[in-house]
Amino acid sequence: MLSPDNRLRRREDFASAVRRGRRAGRPLLVVHLRTSGATDPHESGEIHPSARAGFVVSKAVGGAVVRNRVKRRLRHLVRERLSQLPAGSLMVVRALPGAGDAGLDELARDLDAALLRLLGGVAR
């Protein structure tokens, strides 16, 4: 579970990460990451705001049970990787239809590859 300080909740934050951030697509998911100027104007003046993440899992992934399972798995994986992100960054993870049938290790592999690409690596 992500702490409340690490969650994206507002529509504006999701839109900012998707429209103004960088994107890395993988077979099971797409990761949008916005690092520069990603501070939250609604926070109480923190010097180093924490990185925050949000998830988009549409009905194309599966029924409600499948979608919730995918969200739980993604939250678990992202929580372990938040320390890799620059302070104040916004990340949106969008699950693609194949994510409903994928295991935790496959989701982790795709998430790691996408983050490596977005954070300066060369994995494709």
Side-chain angles (χ1 to χ4, degrees), residues 6 16 22 28 33 35 45 47-48 61 75 90 105 116 118:
N6 296 121
S16 174
R22 296 179 59 212
L28 300 176
L33 181 67
T35 54
I47 297 173
H48 299 289
V61 173
R75 276 195 306 263
L90 305 177
D105 55 341
L116 181 66
L118 289 170

Side-chain angles (χ1 to χ4, degrees), residues 16 20 34-41 87-90:
S16 174
R20 296 186 187 134
R34 179 167 184 225
T35 54
S36 63
T39 58
D40 185 3
S89 59
L90 305 177

Side-chain angles (χ1 to χ4, degrees), residues 4 8 10 26-27 43 50-51 55 66 70 72 81 106 108 113:
L8 280 183
R10 292 192 321 273
R26 306 299 306 159
E43 286 188 15
S50 57
F55 305 93
V66 174
V70 169
R72 281 194 309 271
R81 290 155 178 82
E106 294 171 296

Side-chain angles (χ1 to χ4, degrees), residues 71-117:
K71 281 187 273 190
R72 281 194 309 271
R73 288 177 176 176
L74 289 173
R75 276 195 306 263
H76 174 74
L77 293 170
V78 167
R79 181 186 56 176
E80 296 172 348
R81 290 155 178 82
L82 275 176
S83 61
Q84 298 173 8
L85 300 177
S89 59
L90 305 177
M91 180 170 67
V92 173
V93 180
R94 183 169 44 100
L96 297 176
D101 299 325
L104 186 64
D105 55 341
E106 294 171 296
L107 289 171
R109 182 189 66 232
D110 276 7
L111 182 62
D112 288 336
L115 286 176
L116 181 66
R117 184 171 172 206

